[in-house]
Coordinates of all heavy atoms in Angstrom, one line a residue:
Chain A
M1 N 0.8 -1.2 0.0 CA 0.0 0.0 0.0 C 0.9 1.2 0.0 O 2.0 1.2 0.4 CB -0.9 -0.1 1.2 CG -0.4 0.5 2.5 SD -1.6 0.3 3.8 CE -3.1 0.7 3.0
L2 N 0.3 2.4 -0.4 CA 1.0 3.6 -0.5 C 1.5 4.0 0.9 O 0.8 3.9 1.9 CB 0.2 4.7 -1.1 CG -0.1 4.7 -2.6 CD1 -1.0 5.9 -2.9 CD2 1.1 4.8 -3.4
S3 N 2.8 4.5 1.0 CA 3.3 5.0 2.3 C 2.4 6.1 2.8 O 2.1 6.1 4.0 CB 4.7 5.6 2.1 OG 5.5 4.5 1.6
R4 N 1.9 7.0 2.0 CA 1.2 8.1 2.5 C -0.2 7.6 3.0 O -0.6 8.1 4.0 CB 0.8 9.1 1.3 CG 0.1 10.3 1.7 CD -0.1 11.2 0.5 NE -0.7 10.5 -0.7 CZ -2.0 10.3 -0.9 NH1 -2.8 10.7 0.0 NH2 -2.4 9.7 -2.0
A6 N -0.7 4.6 4.4 CA -0.4 4.0 5.7 C -0.3 5.0 6.8 O -0.9 4.9 7.9 CB 0.9 3.2 5.7
R90 N -10.7 13.0 11.0 CA -11.6 13.0 9.8 C -10.8 13.5 8.6 O -10.9 13.0 7.5 CB -12.8 13.9 10.0 CG -13.7 14.0 8.8 CD -15.0 14.7 9.2 NE -15.9 15.0 8.1 CZ -15.8 16.0 7.3 NH1 -14.8 16.9 7.5 NH2 -16.6 16.2 6.3
Q94 N -10.3 11.5 5.3 CA -10.6 12.2 4.0 C -9.6 11.9 2.9 O -9.9 11.8 1.8 CB -10.8 13.7 4.3 CG -11.1 14.5 3.0 CD -12.6 14.9 3.0 OE1 -13.2 15.0 4.1 NE2 -13.2 15.1 1.9
Q95 N -8.3 11.9 3.4 CA -7.2 11.7 2.5 C -7.2 10.3 1.9 O -6.5 10.1 0.9 CB -5.9 12.0 3.1 CG -5.7 13.4 3.7 CD -5.1 14.3 2.7 OE1 -4.6 13.9 1.6 NE2 -5.0 15.6 3.0
R97 N -10.1 8.2 1.6 CA -11.4 7.7 1.7 C -11.7 6.5 0.8 O -12.6 5.7 1.0 CB -12.4 8.8 1.2 CG -13.0 9.5 2.4 CD -13.8 10.6 2.0 NE -15.1 10.2 1.4 CZ -16.0 11.0 1.0 NH1 -15.8 12.3 1.1 NH2 -17.1 10.5 0.5
E98 N -10.9 6.3 -0.2 CA -11.1 5.1 -1.1 C -10.5 3.9 -0.5 O -10.7 2.8 -0.9 CB -10.5 5.4 -2.5 CG -9.1 5.0 -2.8 CD -8.1 5.9 -2.0 OE1 -8.5 6.8 -1.3 OE2 -6.9 5.6 -2.2
Q99 N -9.7 4.1 0.6 CA -9.0 2.9 1.2 C -9.9 2.3 2.4 O -9.9 1.1 2.6 CB -7.7 3.3 1.8 CG -6.7 3.7 0.7 CD -6.2 2.5 0.0 OE1 -6.1 1.4 0.5 NE2 -5.7 2.7 -1.2
I100 N -10.6 3.2 3.0 CA -11.5 2.7 4.1 C -12.9 2.4 3.5 O -13.2 2.9 2.4 CB -11.6 3.7 5.3 CG1 -12.2 5.1 4.8 CG2 -10.2 4.0 5.9 CD1 -12.3 6.1 5.8
S102 N -16.9 2.6 2.9 CA -17.9 3.7 3.0 C -18.6 3.8 4.4 O -18.8 4.9 4.8 CB -19.0 3.6 1.9 OG -18.7 2.8 0.9
W105 N -16.3 5.6 6.7 CA -16.3 7.1 6.5 C -17.6 7.7 7.0 O -17.6 8.7 7.7 CB -16.1 7.3 5.0 CG -16.5 8.7 4.7 CD1 -17.6 9.2 4.1 CD2 -15.7 9.9 5.1 NE1 -17.6 10.6 4.1 CE2 -16.5 11.1 4.6 CE3 -14.5 10.1 5.7 CZ2 -16.0 12.3 4.8 CZ3 -14.0 11.4 5.9 CH2 -14.8 12.5 5.5
M106 N -18.7 7.0 6.7 CA -20.0 7.6 7.1 C -20.1 7.7 8.6 O -20.6 8.8 9.1 CB -21.2 6.8 6.6 CG -21.5 7.2 5.2 SD -22.7 6.2 4.3 CE -24.1 6.3 5.4
N109 N -17.8 10.6 9.7 CA -18.4 11.8 9.2 C -19.6 12.2 10.2 O -19.8 13.4 10.5 CB -18.9 11.6 7.8 CG -19.1 13.0 7.1 OD1 -18.4 13.9 7.5 ND2 -20.0 13.0 6.2
Q110 N -20.4 11.2 10.6 CA -21.6 11.5 11.4 C -21.1 11.9 12.8 O -21.7 12.8 13.4 CB -22.5 10.3 11.5 CG -23.3 10.1 10.2 CD -24.3 9.0 10.3 OE1 -24.9 8.8 11.3 NE2 -24.4 8.1 9.3
E154 N -3.1 -5.0 5.5 CA -2.0 -4.1 5.9 C -2.6 -2.8 6.5 O -2.2 -2.3 7.6 CB -1.2 -3.8 4.7 CG 0.2 -3.5 5.0 CD 0.9 -3.1 3.7 OE1 0.6 -3.6 2.6 OE2 1.8 -2.3 3.8
T251 N 4.6 -7.1 3.6 CA 5.6 -6.3 3.0 C 6.9 -7.0 3.0 O 7.0 -8.2 3.2 CB 5.8 -4.9 3.7 OG1 6.3 -5.2 5.0 CG2 4.5 -4.2 3.8
F305 N 8.5 2.6 7.0 CA 7.5 2.5 6.0 C 7.1 3.8 5.3 O 6.6 3.7 4.2 CB 6.2 1.9 6.6 CG 6.3 0.5 7.1 CD1 6.3 0.2 8.5 CD2 6.5 -0.5 6.2 CE1 6.5 -1.1 9.0 CE2 6.6 -1.9 6.7 CZ 6.7 -2.1 8.1
V306 N 7.4 4.9 5.9 CA 6.9 6.1 5.3 C 8.0 7.0 4.8 O 8.0 7.4 3.6 CB 6.0 6.9 6.3 CG1 5.5 8.1 5.7 CG2 4.9 6.0 6.8
T307 N 9.0 7.3 5.6 CA 10.0 8.3 5.2 C 11.3 7.7 4.8 O 12.3 8.4 4.8 CB 10.2 9.3 6.4 OG1 10.6 8.5 7.5 CG2 9.0 10.1 6.7
Y308 N 11.3 6.4 4.4 CA 12.6 5.8 4.0 C 13.2 6.5 2.7 O 12.5 7.2 2.0 CB 12.4 4.3 3.6 CG 11.3 4.0 2.5 CD1 11.7 4.2 1.2 CD2 10.1 3.6 2.8 CE1 10.8 3.9 0.2 CE2 9.1 3.4 1.8 CZ 9.5 3.5 0.5 OH 8.6 3.3 -0.5
I310 N 14.7 7.2 -0.9 CA 14.5 6.6 -2.2 C 15.8 6.0 -2.7 O 15.7 4.9 -3.3 CB 14.0 7.7 -3.2 CG1 12.7 8.2 -2.8 CG2 14.1 7.3 -4.7 CD1 12.2 9.4 -3.5
L314 N 16.0 2.2 -4.1 CA 16.3 1.8 -5.5 C 17.5 0.9 -5.6 O 17.8 0.2 -6.6 CB 16.6 3.1 -6.3 CG 15.4 3.9 -6.8 CD1 15.8 5.3 -7.3 CD2 14.7 3.1 -7.9
Chain B
L62 N -25.3 14.0 2.5 CA -24.5 14.6 3.5 C -23.7 13.6 4.3 O -22.5 13.7 4.5 CB -25.4 15.4 4.5 CG -24.7 16.2 5.6 CD1 -23.9 17.3 5.0 CD2 -25.7 16.7 6.6
H63 N -24.4 12.5 4.6 CA -23.7 11.4 5.4 C -22.6 10.8 4.6 O -21.6 10.4 5.1 CB -24.7 10.5 6.0 CG -25.5 11.0 7.1 ND1 -26.5 10.4 7.7 CD2 -25.3 12.2 7.8 CE1 -27.0 11.1 8.7 NE2 -26.3 12.2 8.7
Q64 N -22.8 10.6 3.3 CA -21.8 10.0 2.5 C -20.7 10.9 2.2 O -19.7 10.6 1.7 CB -22.4 9.5 1.2 CG -23.3 8.3 1.3 CD -23.8 8.0 -0.1 OE1 -23.1 7.5 -1.0 NE2 -25.1 8.1 -0.2
G65 N -20.9 12.2 2.6 CA -19.9 13.2 2.3 C -19.8 13.5 0.8 O -18.7 13.9 0.4
E78 N -18.9 22.6 4.4 CA -19.1 21.8 3.3 C -20.7 21.8 3.0 O -21.5 21.8 3.8 CB -18.7 20.3 3.7 CG -17.2 20.2 3.7 CD -16.7 18.9 4.3 OE1 -17.5 17.9 4.3 OE2 -15.6 18.9 4.8
V239 N -6.8 16.6 -2.0 CA -8.0 16.7 -1.3 C -8.7 18.1 -1.4 O -9.8 18.3 -1.2 CB -7.8 16.4 0.2 CG1 -7.0 17.4 0.9 CG2 -9.1 16.1 1.0
Y244 N -12.4 16.1 -5.8 CA -11.8 15.1 -5.0 C -12.7 13.9 -4.6 O -12.4 12.7 -4.7 CB -11.2 15.7 -3.7 CG -10.5 14.6 -2.8 CD1 -9.3 14.2 -3.2 CD2 -11.1 14.1 -1.7 CE1 -8.5 13.3 -2.4 CE2 -10.4 13.1 -0.9 CZ -9.2 12.8 -1.3 OH -8.5 11.9 -0.6
Y245 N -14.0 14.2 -4.3 CA -14.9 13.2 -4.0 C -15.0 12.2 -5.1 O -15.0 10.9 -4.9 CB -16.3 13.8 -3.6 CG -17.3 12.7 -3.6 CD1 -17.4 11.8 -2.6 CD2 -18.2 12.4 -4.7 CE1 -18.3 10.8 -2.6 CE2 -19.1 11.4 -4.7 CZ -19.1 10.6 -3.7 OH -20.0 9.5 -3.7
M248 N -11.9 9.8 -5.4 CA -11.8 8.7 -4.5 C -12.9 7.7 -4.7 O -12.8 6.5 -4.6 CB -11.8 9.2 -3.0 CG -13.0 9.6 -2.4 SD -13.8 8.2 -1.7 CE -15.5 8.6 -1.7
R252 N -12.1 3.8 -5.6 CA -12.7 2.7 -4.8 C -13.6 1.8 -5.7 O -13.5 0.6 -5.5 CB -13.5 3.3 -3.7 CG -14.0 2.2 -2.8 CD -14.3 2.7 -1.4 NE -15.4 3.8 -1.5 CZ -15.7 4.6 -0.5 NH1 -15.0 4.6 0.6 NH2 -16.7 5.4 -0.6
E257 N -5.3 2.1 -6.9 CA -4.8 3.1 -6.0 C -5.1 4.4 -6.4 O -5.1 4.7 -7.6 CB -3.2 3.0 -5.9 CG -2.6 1.7 -5.4 CD -2.7 1.6 -3.9 OE1 -3.2 2.6 -3.2 OE2 -2.4 0.6 -3.3
M258 N -5.4 5.3 -5.4 CA -5.4 6.7 -5.7 C -4.2 7.4 -5.3 O -3.8 7.3 -4.1 CB -6.6 7.4 -5.1 CG -6.8 8.9 -5.3 SD -8.3 9.5 -4.8 CE -8.0 9.7 -3.1
V259 N -3.4 8.0 -6.3 CA -2.1 8.6 -5.9 C -2.2 10.1 -6.1 O -2.9 10.6 -6.9 CB -1.0 8.0 -6.7 CG1 -0.9 6.5 -6.4 CG2 -1.2 8.2 -8.2
E260 N -1.3 10.8 -5.4 CA -1.0 12.2 -5.7 C 0.4 12.3 -6.3 O 1.1 11.3 -6.2 CB -1.0 13.0 -4.4 CG -2.4 13.0 -3.7 CD -2.5 13.8 -2.5 OE1 -1.6 14.6 -2.2 OE2 -3.4 13.6 -1.7
R262 N 3.0 13.6 -5.2 CA 4.1 13.3 -4.3 C 4.3 11.8 -4.0 O 5.2 11.4 -3.3 CB 3.9 14.1 -3.0 CG 2.5 13.8 -2.4 CD 2.3 14.8 -1.2 NE 0.9 14.8 -0.9 CZ 0.4 14.7 0.4 NH1 1.2 14.7 1.4 NH2 -0.9 14.8 0.6
D263 N 3.3 11.0 -4.4 CA 3.5 9.5 -4.2 C 4.2 8.8 -5.3 O 4.6 7.7 -5.2 CB 2.1 8.8 -4.1 CG 1.2 9.2 -3.0 OD1 1.8 9.5 -1.9 OD2 0.0 9.5 -3.1
H267 N 12.3 7.2 -12.3 CA 13.7 6.8 -12.3 C 14.0 6.0 -13.6 O 13.3 5.1 -13.9 CB 14.0 5.9 -11.0 CG 15.5 5.5 -10.9 ND1 16.4 6.4 -10.5 CD2 16.1 4.3 -11.2 CE1 17.6 5.8 -10.5 NE2 17.4 4.5 -11.0
M273 N 5.5 4.1 -7.6 CA 4.9 4.7 -6.4 C 5.5 4.2 -5.2 O 6.1 3.1 -5.1 CB 3.4 4.5 -6.5 CG 2.9 3.0 -6.5 SD 1.1 3.0 -6.6 CE 0.9 1.3 -6.7
R274 N 5.5 5.1 -4.2 CA 6.2 4.8 -2.9 C 5.2 4.1 -2.0 O 4.2 4.6 -1.6 CB 6.5 6.2 -2.3 CG 7.4 6.2 -1.2 CD 7.4 7.6 -0.6 NE 8.4 7.6 0.5 CZ 9.6 8.0 0.4 NH1 10.1 8.4 -0.7 NH2 10.4 7.8 1.5
T275 N 5.5 2.8 -1.8 CA 4.6 2.0 -0.9 C 5.3 1.5 0.3 O 6.5 1.7 0.5 CB 4.1 0.7 -1.7 OG1 5.2 -0.3 -1.7 CG2 3.8 1.0 -3.1
T276 N 4.6 0.9 1.2 CA 5.2 0.4 2.5 C 6.1 -0.8 2.2 O 6.9 -1.2 3.0 CB 4.1 -0.1 3.4 OG1 3.2 -1.0 2.7 CG2 3.3 1.1 3.9
S277 N 6.0 -1.4 0.9 CA 6.9 -2.4 0.6 C 8.0 -1.9 -0.4 O 8.5 -2.7 -1.2 CB 6.2 -3.6 -0.2 OG 5.1 -4.0 0.6
G278 N 8.3 -0.6 -0.3 CA 9.3 -0.1 -1.2 C 8.7 0.5 -2.4 O 7.4 0.8 -2.5
L279 N 9.4 0.7 -3.5 CA 8.9 1.3 -4.7 C 8.3 0.2 -5.6 O 8.8 -0.8 -5.8 CB 10.1 2.0 -5.5 CG 10.8 3.0 -4.6 CD1 11.9 3.7 -5.5 CD2 9.9 4.1 -4.1

Side-chain angles (χ1 to χ4, degrees):
Chain A
M1 86 184 318
L2 288 177
S3 299
R4 182 175 54 82
R90 180 173 174 275
Q94 180 102 26
Q95 300 269 356
R97 263 178 72 179
E98 89 292 0
Q99 295 286 334
I100 60 178
S102 341
W105 165 257
M106 277 172 57
N109 198 31
Q110 284 182 44
E154 211 186 325
T251 64
F305 294 110
V306 182
T307 55
Y308 58 81
I310 291 167
L314 281 168
Chain B
L62 183 67
H63 285 171
Q64 289 179 69
E78 289 167 24
V239 71
Y244 180 76
Y245 166 76
M248 82 87 207
R252 183 158 63 195
E257 292 287 356
M258 179 167 79
V259 297
E260 295 178 20
R262 57 190 160 133
D263 296 321
H267 180 76
M273 57 185 178
R274 191 186 181 97
T275 77
T276 52
S277 310
L279 302 180

